[in-house]
Every structure is written in C-alpha cells, then in structure tokens.
Amino acid sequence: MTSPKKPAFVGIWTAMLTPLDAAQQIDLDAFAAHAKRLLAAGCGGVTAFGTTGEGPSFSVAERMAAVEGLIARGVPAERLIVGTSCTAVPETVALTRHATALGVHGCLVLAPFYFKGVSDQGIIDSFRQILDQSMSPELAVYLYHIPQVTGVPLSHHVIRTLFNAYPQQILGIKDSQCDQAHSLALAGAFMKDLTVYVGFEPDLPALGRLGSTGAISGLANFVPRLVHRLVSEPDGPGAVRDLQRVKDVLAMLDGFSLMPALKAVMAERDANHAWLTVRAPLVAVTSSEHAELRRRLLALALDPLKD
C-alpha cells in the first residue's frame, strides 16, 4: 500500500542567511540561534543553503555538518527544508539522502546548473537520477526555478513529466523568476496538483489568492511577520500597507548585491558585524555601502513586533 503523501509546507519558511566567522567558516551556534529566533517569530520553518544562504558556495561536507549541527542545537528537523543542489548529480544525491535520513521536511532542488542551453530531456534525466538514487518513503522534494541565477529554466513540460513520474515525492515548485505572469501561469497549470510558491515577496498576495500556502523568503530573515501576512492575509485590513511596506524594504536594497546587503541589514539589526562576512565569489559591502544601507534602514523604522 502506498503511504499517504506528505503535505506541502505552510507558512513562511525563511531562506536563512548563513552566518560565518572571520575565517569564513559556518558559525553553527549563530546559525541555530537565528533559526530558533525565526521559529519563535512565527515562521513555519526555515530553509538552509538556498540561494540566499549561499548554498552552492559550501561543500557537501560543510552542508551535512551544518544541518546536523542545527538539529543538535534544537532546531526541529521537521521544520527544516534543505537546499541540496550541486552541479554534480552524485553530490546532490548525497546531500538529499543525508537530509532525508535526518528527518527534514523536504529538500529544495535545482537542476544541475553548470552547463547552459541543455535540453528539457537532459534536465528531466538529471532529476530522475537524483530522485531515483535518493528514493525512500520519506523523500520530499521541491523543484526550484531561478533561471536568472542558474541559466537553467524548468519548463512546464519538465515539471509535468517529473510530477507524473514522482507524484508522491514532488510536493511543490519554488518560482523565483520574479515575474508575476510566469508565476500565475505556473499556478494555472499546476496548483491543483502542486503548491506553487514564489520567492519575490510582492507577488505573494496574488499567489495566495490562488491557493499558495506560504513562501521561502529571504526578506523574512528580518521582517518575518510582514512577509507572513502578505500570503496569509492577501486581502486583510492591512494588506495595502503591508504590500507597500515590503516594496519599501526591497527599494532599500536596490543597487546593492543582494546577499551581502541582506547580511548588512542583519549586522545592523543584531549590532553584530560578524554578519557582514560572505563566501567568495560574493563580496562584502564596503564601509560606504554599509553606511548608506544603515541610513536607508533607519529611514524605514522597522518595527520588530510587527514587521
């Protein structure tokens, strides 16, 4: 008998930034403390080693040790999604098997992304190898579409073919193309079978009205309540204000490299400049950039109890 399909995630599962020490090693105590603070703020869960978390910049061994470290420090495995994507299929398999064996909610998986211009069949073959070689009753996967970063899009044909082959294992699609028309088209094509989540926060209300139940959000590192309301209350009494508020937060980051800027915001929020450290090839904000971000952040006057 086939076991019941695991429900897709609900709520905001923050795309966590990864705190590093001065030697650019993962600071596991800070990582776990950040995760637990987000859960306490009402996040449904947290996501480690996605794009916002600089996932591809860390080795397989580093990512495995960090996920184990989060769980050992009290982050519930079932409230974790782990980005397991690598350019090599065997490494993605190793990370996916490892995370699944630890009991995480699911794995966020890109197509292998080094080669560009590959065919739909090549992408399908890669995912089939990842899923077949990672197969277990607990395996749960979210397909991750972010072509402006990877150069490897997931077409409707790829998604439909994979879902038809693995209906129990594929729970949803994370669409981070930042194109509302594309997200709405995905929702129209797949929402009855798969939850479509968007990574671009201003699009959350539109997808929430179509049945999307949450998001993996980078802004939720420091405005989790605001992001949560956008998807849970898309037509609530404060919806217009909340949507403008999130647009203002994004405008604050305009003109900066996103992940270093997000880390600079965390450095200001926590009064801890250790947050500024990034892994190459990213470059930390300069002192002048940091000062400008500080000025913009102060002008926003974020409320930690509401935003």
Side-chain angles (χ1 to χ4, degrees):
M1 179 182 294
T2 303
S3 58
K5 182 172 180 174
K6 179 185 289 188
F9 78 82
V10 174
I12 299 304
W13 290 53
T14 305
M16 284 198 298
L17 294 157
T18 306
L20 304 174
D21 63 22
Q24 296 193 344
Q25 302 303 304
I26 299 170
D27 184 334
L28 288 176
D29 290 334
F31 204 16
H34 183 43
K36 289 191 280 188
R37 180 165 53 187
L38 290 166
L39 295 177
C43 291
V46 292
T47 302
F49 300 119
T51 304
T52 303
E54 303 172 69
S57 295
F58 297 99
S59 70
V60 169
E62 286 176 310
R63 288 195 255 180
M64 286 181 174
V67 174
E68 292 173 8
L70 288 172
I71 295 169
R73 287 164 174 77
V75 180
E78 65 274 14
R79 297 181 74 178
L80 272 170
I81 292 173
V82 179
T84 59
S85 306
C86 302
T87 56
V89 165
E91 293 183 340
T92 301
V93 169
L95 285 167
T96 303
R97 285 176 172 173
H98 175 263
T100 301
L102 290 174
V104 305
H105 168 78
C107 298
L108 183 64
V109 186
L110 296 162
F113 45 86
Y114 179 79
F115 292 105
K116 308 304 188 285
V118 295
S119 66
D120 275 3
Q121 189 58 52
I123 298 170
I124 290 166
D125 290 346
S126 295
F127 272 109
R128 290 188 70 101
Q129 290 175 31
I130 292 164
L131 286 155
D132 287 345
Q133 294 174 39
S134 305
M135 189 58 65
S136 81
E138 293 77 31
L139 178 64
V141 165
Y142 293 88
L143 304 178
Y144 188 10
H145 173 80
I146 184 168
Q148 69 273 31
V149 174
T150 64
V152 182
L154 301 181
S155 70
H156 284 211
H157 171 65
V158 165
I159 295 167
R160 178 58 63 193
T161 300
L162 291 171
F163 177 72
N164 287 344
Y166 304 95
Q168 291 291 110
Q169 290 75 37
I170 297 177
L171 304 188
I173 307 159
K174 182 177 191 286
D175 179 22
S176 292
Q177 185 170 320
C178 302
D179 177 345
Q180 187 177 112
H182 181 268
S183 299
L184 294 175
L186 279 178
F190 297 105
M191 194 72 91
K192 70 180 182 65
D193 298 317
L194 295 169
T195 305
V196 178
Y197 305 91
V198 287
F200 187 54
E201 288 85 359
D203 291 343
L204 288 173
L207 270 291
R209 295 182 190 105
L210 296 177
S212 187
T213 58
I216 296 174
S217 162
L219 295 187
N221 279 282
F222 55 90
V223 286
R225 295 170 180 84
L226 172 61
V227 176
H228 177 74
R229 289 195 302 273
L230 284 180
V231 70
S232 64
E233 304 173 36
D235 298 302
V240 173
R241 178 263 183 196
D242 286 344
L243 183 57
Q244 184 57 53
R245 192 75 164 150
V246 84
K247 289 178 179 178
D248 291 342
V249 172
L250 288 170
M252 174 189 70
L253 301 167
D254 190 46
F256 297 96
S257 177
L258 182 58
M259 269 60 80
L262 289 172
K263 283 192 160 182
V265 172
M266 293 297 295
E268 287 301 306
R269 192 200 68 169
D270 292 356
N272 180 3
H273 281 204
W275 269 115
L276 295 172
T277 305
V278 295
R279 271 272 176 105
L282 299 181
V283 177
V285 297
T286 65
S287 58
S288 61
E289 288 172 333
H290 192 183
E292 175 59 17
L293 273 167
R294 181 185 300 116
R295 184 192 68 78
R296 295 184 188 185
L297 183 61
L298 288 171
L300 273 179
L302 295 176
D303 184 338
L305 298 179
K306 293 181 179 179
D307 297 321

